[in-house]
């Protein structure tokens, strides 16, 4: 089957198999920031925005994206600002988890989250093997303008 979707505001058309998942199709289209981690919806590394909301792209059939809008970290305006904070706070060690964390954190900013505890709960599905999370939390605090 052939699907047509928008990725980062660019129209893409591609032939897919019915069983293919969105993660693999986005990578076939060249969006390599979308990475595979657990493949079970648990690690957050494969996160993309689907019509503006974060989802694990490993857990969605590509066919569902037909006619929808996908945003990856490459297409996100605020991504560079948050990536800079991650770097300044020492939270970009191997960087493998960064695209998923960036997408979810930028979404939290968009919906107005300014409470670090709320942010931590929302980001509980973004696993990181390197940082121990403290440096990420410092960057998130600055980026969201956390007030308490
Ligand atoms: S690879 Fe999709 S959530 Fe882990
Ligand atoms: S920085 Fe390496 S997994 Fe998060």
């Amino acid at each position: 089957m052939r699907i047509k979707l928008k990725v980062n505001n660019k129209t893409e058309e591609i032939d897919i198999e019915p069983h293919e998942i969105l993660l693999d199709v986005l990578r076939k289209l060249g969006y390599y920031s979308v990475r595979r981690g657990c493949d079970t919806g648990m690690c957050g590394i494969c996160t993309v925005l689907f019509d503006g909301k974060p989802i694990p792209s490993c857990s969605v059939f590509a066919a569902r994206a037909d006619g929808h809008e996908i945003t990856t970290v490459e297409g996100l305006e605020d991504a560079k600002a948050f990536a800079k904070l991650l770097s300044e706070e020492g939270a970009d060690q191997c960087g493998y988890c960064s695209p998923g964390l960036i997408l979810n954190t930028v979404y939290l900013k968009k919906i107005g989250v300014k409470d670090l505890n709320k942010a931590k709960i929302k980001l509980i599905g973004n696993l990181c093997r390197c940082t121990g999370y403290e440096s990420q939390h410092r960057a998130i605090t600055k980026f969201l303008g956390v007030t308490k």
Side-chain angles (χ1 to χ4, degrees), residues 14 19-30 34 36 39 57-58 62:
I14 185 168
H19 63 268
E20 280 191 283
I21 59 169
L22 185 57
L23 164 60
D24 291 323
V25 170
L26 288 170
R27 289 184 64 84
K28 270 189 193 171
L29 287 167
V34 187
R36 170 169 275 106
D39 227 3
S57 61
C58 72

Side-chain angles (χ1 to χ4, degrees), residues 2 27 66 82 87-88 91 105 135:
R2 191 160 182 85
R27 289 184 64 84
D66 188 31
F82 184 50
S87 170
E88 286 170 6
T105 307
S135 51

